[in-house]
Amino acid sequence: MSDEPIDLQAALGAFDALWSPRIVTQVNDYDVRIAKVAGEFVWHSHDHTDEFFLVLEGELGIGLRDAGGERVVTLPRGSVFVVPRGVEHRPFSTGGASILMLEPTGTSNVGDRHDRIPGHITATTGHALA
């Protein structure tokens, strides 16, 4: 963990991989992760934790499946949304986006339950910011 301020724009400029979150810092037992996204992620859920999203650039959609059926929430730049634990969801971005996520350290980006993972997605608990 750095004892200096972290410039998120510079951190985002340090990598190009999509759907490959980088851990920029930690708060207690939580990772603060950033990622570049475009296209569709995999449907998945986290059984034991909520998932926090903040859109830094672009627009992010999140498909949700719960007892009420299926719906999509749209998050423009500057918006936040929390997916409750156990809710199946699928982030996507047609035009590309940069996002910040807050999750317990060690949480897999593809959750505890997920569809088949397509080739453009790597299951990870986050990569160190180089």
Side-chain angles (χ1 to χ4, degrees), residues 40-46 62-73 81 83-91 113-116:
E40 296 181 349
F41 199 62
V42 62
W43 281 102
H44 68 286
S45 65
H46 302 275
I62 303 176
L64 301 164
R65 291 179 181 158
D66 57 21
E70 193 169 309
R71 68 184 177 109
V72 171
V73 295
F81 186 77
V83 176
R85 71 189 70 202
V87 172
E88 193 174 12
H89 58 287
R90 179 185 55 94
R113 292 176 285 119
H114 53 77
D115 284 350
R116 186 188 63 77

Side-chain angles (χ1 to χ4, degrees), residues 31-49:
D31 289 341
V32 177
R33 303 175 184 181
I34 56 172
K36 294 179 180 179
V37 301
E40 296 181 349
F41 199 62
V42 62
W43 281 102
H44 68 286
S45 65
H46 302 275
D47 292 338
H48 305 289
T49 186

